Amino acid sequence: MIEFEYPLAFTLLCLPFAVYWLFPVYKESRSAIQVPFFERLTALSPEKPSETAVKLSRRKVQWLLVIISYLALVAAIAKPMWVGEPIEQKKSAREIMVALDLSGSMSEKDFTDLEGKKHDRLTIAKQVLREFAAQRKHDRLGLILFADSAYIQAPFTEDIGVWQALLDDVELGYAGFQTAFGDAIGLSIAVFEQEESRQRVMILLTDGDDTSSKMPPVKAAEIAEKYGVKIYTIAIGDPSTKGRYKMDLPTLKKVSEVTGGQMFHAMDRQELELAYSTIDKLEQQEFELLSHRPKHSLHHIAFGICLVSNLFAAFIVFGANLRRQRQVKRVIKRREELNNE
């Protein structure tokens, strides 16, 4: 289907009529006679005809080419567009912010990989997060790191490869060695609001007690609930740990319950994977259908038609003048031959 970007340009079609009406053709009265057999008459006449003394005839093809040329020019100005069939694209309305703990306790080597080898908690958490991200084909993922304070490692993106690369760069000590997941919740709220997200999900993974947040975690969760952020908390490690690495499971549970989420406790890699798969099942994905129709400009074709029409008209005029000159030369030559006889 063809549409025009500037349909008002077609008002220019009235311009030739307006010019013809406002500025009529200049006319000059002259004596003239119209006779047949012009060539024979000039051959017998003693007068030498000038180059303009020819029989005039109106060429309809020239008028046709001029009309076509002007119509094409006006159409080109109106910018015709070829509009294709509608194309629908399914886009997820869900944005998931992952908040990852980088406190000193994440260096504890009490988690095993698929081969049974011992690794620190951060290494296993990164491995499982990579696998989790690989399954988020339509979601937009973000990454917040927190320890003494919280900061954004990756803003929301649909490029899972980039997100995974930024996750791989994470190392212990990036943000200190304490735990401030209350500030991480507050930072995620600000990011969700900035992006004007519709389906807001936060996954908070930690292995310790909040020790350095400026805002208490439960208070931050209450604010998150008002902004429509659902928080799933995942506690990893041994809950019987004492001292500065102790876990605060009641607070994590309260944070998730306030926002309508759920708390998980993972003691090993299998439980950590189960937590992520459960979250995926609990949080149903919403989609937006985006429809657009591809457009391709055709104005260059209209300009081409205008150019070709003008070239044809020019060739016709040039050919007519050439024939006229040859005709006059033949008449003169014929007259000279008769005079010589």
Side-chain angles (χ1 to χ4, degrees), residues 40-301:
R40 296 182 183 179
L41 181 63
T42 53
L44 298 174
S45 174
E47 298 295 330
K48 181 179 179 181
S50 64
E51 292 188 359
T52 56
V54 295
K55 183 177 67 174
L56 300 178
S57 61
R58 189 184 301 273
R59 295 181 178 274
K60 295 181 179 180
V61 67
Q62 289 179 270
W63 282 106
L64 179 62
L65 289 174
V66 169
I67 293 173
I68 292 175
S69 175
Y70 188 72
L71 289 176
L73 180 62
V74 172
I77 296 174
K79 196 175 182 181
M81 305 289 290
W82 175 260
V83 183
E85 294 298 323
I87 298 176
E88 289 188 350
Q89 181 180 7
K90 187 167 68 171
K91 181 180 179 181
S92 174
R94 182 170 64 183
E95 292 181 323
I96 301 176
M97 178 62 76
V98 178
L100 180 60
D101 189 352
L102 289 185
S103 61
S105 56
M106 292 291 286
S107 62
E108 292 290 322
K109 295 185 177 182
D110 55 359
F111 271 59
T112 57
D113 60 13
L114 296 175
E115 298 177 355
K117 296 180 180 179
K118 290 283 186 178
H119 291 278
D120 60 77
R121 298 171 180 175
L122 179 60
T123 299
I124 298 299
K126 289 166 60 175
Q127 290 178 2
V128 177
L129 278 174
R130 279 186 60 84
E131 297 168 4
F132 174 77
Q135 302 172 11
R136 310 273 74 76
K137 295 181 179 180
H138 300 287
D139 292 326
R140 299 181 68 220
L141 296 181
L143 179 61
I144 289 177
L145 305 178
F146 64 92
D148 292 351
S149 58
Y151 70 94
I152 299 174
Q153 173 73 352
F156 284 120
T157 178
E158 295 178 358
D159 194 331
I160 303 303
V162 171
W163 190 91
Q164 291 173 330
L166 292 171
L167 175 66
D168 292 338
D169 292 338
V170 173
E171 299 290 344
L172 288 172
Y174 268 23
F177 296 94
Q178 299 189 61
T179 305
F181 63 80
D183 290 348
I185 296 173
L187 180 58
S188 70
I189 296 172
V191 177
F192 279 123
E193 280 297 295
Q194 184 177 3
E195 296 290 332
E196 297 182 353
S197 309
R198 284 182 51 192
Q199 191 177 3
R200 307 178 177 188
V201 179
M202 180 181 183
I203 300 175
L204 191 150
L205 188 146
T206 181
D207 69 342
D209 182 19
D210 189 290
T211 56
S212 62
S213 287
K214 297 178 181 178
M215 179 179 292
V218 176
K219 180 64 176 179
E222 292 173 352
I223 297 174
E225 190 274 333
K226 293 180 181 179
Y227 283 93
V229 179
K230 187 180 292 187
I231 302 176
Y232 293 92
T233 57
I234 302 177
I236 61 174
D238 187 356
S240 63
T241 305
K242 303 296 182 182
R244 61 175 182 169
Y245 291 157
K246 69 177 182 177
M247 302 182 68
D248 188 359
L249 296 180
T251 298
L252 292 175
K253 185 176 181 180
K254 182 67 174 177
V255 165
S256 59
E257 288 179 348
V258 167
T259 61
Q262 187 174 332
M263 189 200 81
F264 301 89
H265 183 207
M267 295 285 290
D268 52 32
R269 179 191 171 94
Q270 287 73 24
E271 291 181 349
L272 186 58
E273 291 176 345
L274 179 61
Y276 283 116
S277 63
T278 304
I279 291 173
D280 190 42
K281 294 177 182 178
L282 290 174
E283 198 60 33
Q284 294 297 319
Q285 193 174 24
E286 297 178 7
F287 289 94
E288 294 177 345
L289 285 178
L290 303 179
S291 178
H292 76 281
R293 304 184 72 175
K295 293 184 178 181
H296 304 283
S297 178
L298 302 177
H299 71 281
H300 57 283
I301 298 178

